[in-house]
Amino acid sequence: MQLHYDINKNQLLVLLDGEIDHHSSNQIRTEIDTAIYAHMPRTLIFDFQNVTFMDSSGIGLIMGRHKILRNLDSEIIIKQPSPQIARILRLSSMDRLAEIQINYPEEVIS
Amino acid sequence: MKFTNEFKCVFPAVSANEALARASLSAFLIPADPTAQELADLRTVISEAVTNAIVHGYRNSSGEVSICLRMLPDRVLYIRVSDKGCGIPDIQKAMEPLYTSVPEEERAGLGFAIMQEFTDNLHVRSTPNHGTTLTMRRKLGQIYAEE
């Protein structure tokens, strides 16, 4: 799992890459929390476009970051989850904790 | 139990092996020509089951996780994941969404909910201090809800 960050004004964008499971989420958690406390963003954006797998460990990861961000009075946006990850987010009612932005390419929709 | 193919393996209960379990399932399932969603669902299911064994069964202490995959007649995939860990004292409580026995681990408590959603049936057999065995079945080629 590789993380790339883009910090723009009060936004911290985390570009996740690869598989999010119990194993990788421990490392992701440590790295993201370091970045959160370093930048104190108003908005944390998880970009999921390069995430190929996520199980409920990813939900635990988002719930934990939501708790931190709520204390900073900040919010979470989840961008571009795959259809499978979108199902898991829906099943876990993550839309209550975060804004989920899904834009599938037009050829998939038509 | 009649089956057309079977795969068994045993590995140490370490988190790096969660990816190994998913890869084994993919390799076993591909000849049965699953849809992309079936493959994704079942990879999620085995990942949840193996993670449960490591995190809850062994509480990150050492032990072994066993997997058995079988392709039964009529394209039914059978998955069994077992550990010899601490067992589940109250299975009903463990299956409640959002319940977790390790709050300090930042678990969502959704493992069983996801396994139930993505399989046709899930059976849990557990004896405190002796371990837990999960068995699940999913028939391929069905229309599943959503998407």
Side-chain angles (χ1 to χ4, degrees):
Chain A
M1 168 64 64
Q2 285 207 321
L3 298 180
H4 295 279
Y5 299 101
D6 186 14
I7 297 133
N8 181 9
K9 298 203 176 128
N10 294 321
Q11 289 191 339
L12 171 62
L13 184 137
V14 183
L15 183 61
L16 301 150
D17 184 24
E19 300 193 319
I20 305 179
D21 62 5
H22 162 240
H23 181 68
S24 65
S25 64
N26 289 333
Q27 177 213 342
I28 299 170
R29 174 178 302 117
T30 311
E31 290 194 22
I32 290 181
D33 287 355
T34 307
I36 290 174
Y37 288 116
H39 302 289
M40 296 292 192
R42 303 295 301 174
T43 310
L44 172 65
I45 304 167
F46 284 116
D47 190 331
F48 268 77
Q49 62 175 309
N50 296 328
V51 179
T52 53
F53 175 84
M54 185 189 84
D55 63 16
S56 71
S57 306
I59 300 297
L61 182 75
I62 296 166
M63 286 167 65
R65 309 295 69 68
H66 174 259
K67 223 180 259 178
I68 297 173
L69 273 279
R70 198 180 45 196
N71 288 336
L72 301 175
D73 219 11
S74 303
E75 57 168 14
I76 295 183
I77 296 174
I78 298 170
K79 272 175 84 168
Q80 303 284 64
S82 70
Q84 180 70 10
I85 293 173
R87 284 179 80 202
I88 293 171
L89 292 169
R90 233 184 348 261
L91 192 63
S92 326
S93 305
M94 278 300 108
D95 48 346
R96 288 192 210 155
L97 305 190
E99 181 185 334
I100 299 171
Q101 298 177 351
I102 303 175
N103 302 308
Y104 293 120
E106 276 174 34
E107 59 267 31
V108 175
I109 296 165
S110 59
Chain B
M1 191 188 288
K2 272 169 73 175
F3 53 85
T4 52
N5 199 7
E6 182 184 50
F7 171 81
K8 288 179 174 175
C9 72
V10 180
F11 51 78
V14 293
S15 64
N17 284 334
E18 293 151 10
L20 176 72
R22 292 195 296 275
S24 307
L25 178 124
S26 301
F28 182 81
L29 201 56
I30 294 238
D33 197 22
T35 63
Q37 188 179 334
E38 285 166 344
L39 185 59
D41 283 1
L42 291 161
R43 280 167 59 81
T44 310
V45 160
I46 199 151
S47 198
E48 297 292 351
V50 169
T51 302
N52 268 1
I54 294 170
V55 175
H56 302 287
Y58 293 113
R59 306 266 166 117
N60 296 313
S61 66
S62 61
E64 285 179 336
V65 180
S66 309
I67 289 181
C68 173
L69 306 173
R70 285 180 185 150
M71 192 51 74
L72 308 182
D74 300 323
R75 300 184 79 212
V76 174
L77 178 73
Y78 166 93
I79 303 175
R80 188 177 71 216
V81 175
S82 38
D83 65 68
K84 293 189 167 66
C86 67
I88 306 171
D90 185 345
I91 293 174
Q92 243 175 354
K93 188 160 188 67
M95 292 179 80
E96 280 173 19
L98 305 178
Y99 171 78
T100 178
S101 59
V102 285
E104 69 282 3
E105 279 255 1
E106 213 173 66
R107 306 293 311 159
L110 289 166
F112 276 123
I114 288 175
M115 287 186 266
Q116 281 178 312
E117 180 75 17
F118 291 173
T119 58
D120 299 325
N121 66 62
L122 160 71
H123 181 74
V124 185
R125 200 177 64 223
S126 189
T127 312
N129 303 316
H130 284 86
T132 300
T133 297
L134 304 186
T135 53
M136 292 170 279
R137 283 162 211 257
R138 165 115 175 223
K139 184 170 165 54
L140 303 181
Q142 302 181 96
I143 308 289
Y144 251 59
E146 292 195 87
E147 243 51 73

